[in-house]
Amino acid sequence: MILEDLYRLLRSGHVQAQGVVDTMTQPIVVLDHNLCVTNANNAFVRTFAVERDDILGESFFRLGNGQWEIADLRHLIASVIPKAAAVVGFEVTHDFPAIGQRTFLVDARRLVHPDNNSTNILILFDDVTERRRHDAEKDFIVAEARHRLRNLFAVIRAIAMQTKTEDRTATEYRDIFLGRLEVTLRAQEIASTGETTDFESLLRRSVGELGVERFHCDGPAVTLASSKVLAVSMIFHELGTNAMKHGALSVPGGQIHVTWALEPGPRSRTYLICEWQEKTGLPVTRPQRRGYGTELIEGTSAHIGGKVELKYDPGGLTATIKIPV
Amino acid sequence: MDDPAEVDVEGRRCVLVVEDELLIAMELTAALTAGGFRVLGPAASVDHALDLVSKERPHAAVLDFNLVGEKVTPVALQLKALGVPFVLASAVHPTELAVHSALADVANIGKPTDLKRLVDALKAFQT
């Protein structure tokens, strides 16, 4: 009678313990004092792709052709545990033959049986491989964002520095600066998508709303790589601004005609040849000072391997732009 | 290409500029010109830069690290082979530079670039 009660007690205790272990979503393995497996939960079997029958009674470090023979882990179990009773969050990265490289945080605890002093070691694995990968990715994105921010700041400073202050009021300076800044930011937004852009729509956008009725475009469909968007936007922004201030759009009845074509060029590259022609009906004089506008147009074209010729014909400016596409 | 680089008729030394960002390239060019140098480039890509140095050997160079879709490392290697001293002007993190042996011991003036520091660093190469 007493024996039967004791048996029941032991049995229900065992069932309860097994239930707890199996319910855990993290892999758990229990070792005896010889470091042989006495128990492993479903999560362990699943995570490490092993058969329960193959591992019970086997030495832990010989399991699956010694895939657990990890120096760090052996050190933890063989020397730390006997002294420390418990170790929490010990990180182990290892390349497992069946499941690949994984990083685990290992918790280990020594259980001493009160009656005979025999020990069990309970080992719990927390797979942090994904978490670590995610953290690394996040760090990369943060670093990249910081890099871009610095770059953007450098660009803004470059615009401010190169927008000349001579012979300009503060208001004029500010307007020119902001105009260029906006073109740059809009172009970077387009370029950051990495998609190609239609030349004509970029051309029209660069010139803006003003004078839309006096602006005539004619040419074949041309797509621009994202790396060319800023340069092309800047060239036409400057031409458009100049036209508004000094050229065809500064006088009533002035017109701008833009025509373009694709031509084969050296090194089997295709060139976009574009002609920007202003018709003011008034005589045009070459500007006295080579302002940033002209420098910017020429520098921009050179930057993408093209060139620009500006001709101040009587009756209007003609710009011939040649850029590789 | 073994000839030492030559100063031009105005006595200016030649600096190669490699920078893909249009406006920054123009800013560097303006600063170096004002600092008494003649600018080779600016080159926006590795190919363009290698092309330029194959035609003319500069006295010194300033390089951005990240060019559109590529790293500047091949240019750095070529400059080292030619014995041309150079500095970096890049926002790249030092740990990323450290993995490229051609760049590990090169000064990075940073970005946004302190233009006075850049000009001073390039002038220091002359002595």
Side-chain angles (χ1 to χ4, degrees):
Chain A
M1 196 58 181
I2 291 167
L3 203 61
E4 202 167 306
D5 284 347
L6 189 64
Y7 171 73
R8 278 209 195 96
L9 193 71
L10 282 172
R11 207 169 110 85
S12 80
H14 176 75
V15 167
Q16 201 175 7
Q18 185 71 44
V20 169
V21 167
D22 279 343
T23 307
M24 296 287 291
T25 53
Q26 290 127 316
I28 294 175
V29 64
V30 183
L31 310 183
D32 65 16
H33 63 284
N34 291 320
L35 307 181
C36 290
V37 177
T38 60
N39 204 344
N41 72 347
N42 293 335
F44 183 90
V45 168
R46 212 171 38 241
T47 302
F48 297 108
V50 290
E51 293 292 331
R52 195 185 301 269
D53 290 346
D54 293 346
I55 60 171
L56 288 178
E58 288 292 320
S59 165
F60 182 68
F61 289 109
R62 281 206 296 274
L63 290 183
N65 295 323
Q67 63 171 307
W68 289 99
E69 186 56 65
I70 305 165
D72 286 349
L73 199 61
R74 184 181 268 283
H75 171 72
L76 175 75
I77 292 169
S79 56
V80 178
I81 288 296
K83 293 178 210 143
V87 169
V88 176
F90 185 87
E91 185 172 325
V92 175
T93 299
H94 184 63
D95 200 357
F96 294 90
I99 59 173
Q101 172 147 339
R102 291 296 168 96
T103 302
F104 291 99
L105 294 182
V106 180
D107 295 348
R109 182 172 290 277
R110 182 161 48 112
L111 302 175
V112 181
H113 292 268
D115 48 350
N116 62 2
N117 259 347
S118 73
T119 49
N120 273 146
I121 295 171
L122 196 71
I123 307 175
L124 190 143
F125 299 85
D126 189 4
D127 187 344
V128 293
T129 315
E130 273 304 297
R131 218 183 300 159
R132 287 289 143 86
R133 197 183 58 76
H134 188 255
D135 287 351
E137 226 165 61
K138 203 174 65 190
D139 288 348
F140 175 79
I141 291 169
V142 169
E144 186 63 21
R146 194 176 297 140
H147 176 92
R148 288 192 182 192
L149 206 63
R150 295 175 74 85
N151 223 3
L152 187 62
F153 181 74
V155 167
I156 292 168
R157 201 189 68 173
I159 299 172
M161 291 297 288
Q162 290 187 79
T163 300
K164 297 279 188 286
T165 52
E166 292 89 2
D167 306 325
R168 279 179 181 154
T169 66
T171 311
E172 281 170 341
Y173 174 88
R174 187 187 61 196
D175 289 349
I176 295 166
F177 169 73
L178 290 178
R180 286 171 179 166
L181 187 60
E182 201 187 312
V183 172
T184 306
L185 296 189
R186 213 188 310 143
Q188 286 208 335
E189 216 147 80
I190 296 170
S192 71
T193 64
E195 287 162 13
T196 54
T197 308
D198 175 54
F199 173 69
E200 183 173 336
S201 55
L202 196 68
L203 175 63
R204 288 187 179 279
R205 228 172 314 157
S206 304
V207 178
E209 291 296 309
L210 282 162
V212 71
E213 283 166 10
R214 298 195 266 154
F215 188 70
H216 312 282
C217 287
D218 186 28
V222 175
T223 48
L224 290 173
S226 60
S227 61
K228 304 255 160 59
V229 169
L230 174 59
V232 173
S233 302
M234 192 57 85
I235 293 170
F236 289 103
H237 169 77
E238 291 303 317
L239 287 172
T241 307
N242 287 341
M244 220 154 332
K245 275 194 282 190
H246 320 290
L249 300 181
S250 69
V251 292
Q255 305 267 330
I256 301 174
H257 294 269
V258 184
T259 55
W260 64 91
L262 291 172
E263 282 180 15
R267 288 209 240 169
S268 66
R269 299 186 78 168
T270 304
Y271 280 80
L272 170 70
I273 315 287
C274 174
E275 194 165 85
W276 167 287
Q277 201 168 19
E278 298 185 22
K279 293 196 163 81
T280 56
L282 295 170
V284 172
T285 48
R286 191 186 174 83
Q288 294 293 307
R289 186 167 52 86
R290 267 175 66 84
Y292 180 58
T294 314
E295 265 171 47
L296 190 59
I297 292 169
E298 285 168 356
T300 303
S301 328
H303 188 81
I304 54 171
K307 62 180 183 198
V308 168
E309 268 173 44
L310 300 173
K311 245 167 78 191
Y312 296 88
D313 289 333
L317 166 79
T318 302
T320 310
I321 299 130
K322 185 175 174 181
I323 46 175
V325 290
Chain B
M1 282 310 300
D2 289 326
D3 304 340
E6 304 221 348
V7 295
D8 69 0
V9 285
E10 292 164 49
R12 293 180 305 174
R13 296 164 72 89
C14 170
V15 175
L16 170 72
V17 174
V18 181
E19 165 63 65
D20 61 327
E21 190 77 57
L22 161 69
L23 294 153
I24 296 172
M26 293 179 74
E27 185 184 29
L28 293 177
T29 303
L32 294 179
T33 308
F37 294 101
R38 182 169 59 82
V39 169
L40 182 62
S45 67
V46 168
D47 274 353
H48 189 190
L50 292 177
D51 215 28
L52 289 175
V53 295
S54 73
K55 288 177 191 142
E56 180 179 355
R57 176 180 156 169
H59 291 90
V62 48
L63 314 179
D64 182 20
F65 177 67
N66 279 305
L67 307 175
V68 182
E70 56 185 2
K71 311 284 183 221
V72 83
T73 327
V75 182
L77 288 170
Q78 180 64 13
L79 292 174
K80 286 217 159 167
L82 292 172
V84 175
F86 59 92
V87 293
L88 289 162
S90 172
V92 69
H93 198 272
T95 53
E96 202 179 342
L97 287 181
V99 301
H100 300 271
S101 56
L103 301 171
D105 55 347
V106 176
N108 183 4
I109 310 290
K111 189 190 268 186
T113 310
D114 181 338
L115 298 171
K116 188 181 175 313
R117 234 186 100 203
L118 174 66
V119 169
D120 289 347
L122 293 172
K123 280 187 175 157
F125 288 145
Q126 295 176 22
T127 52

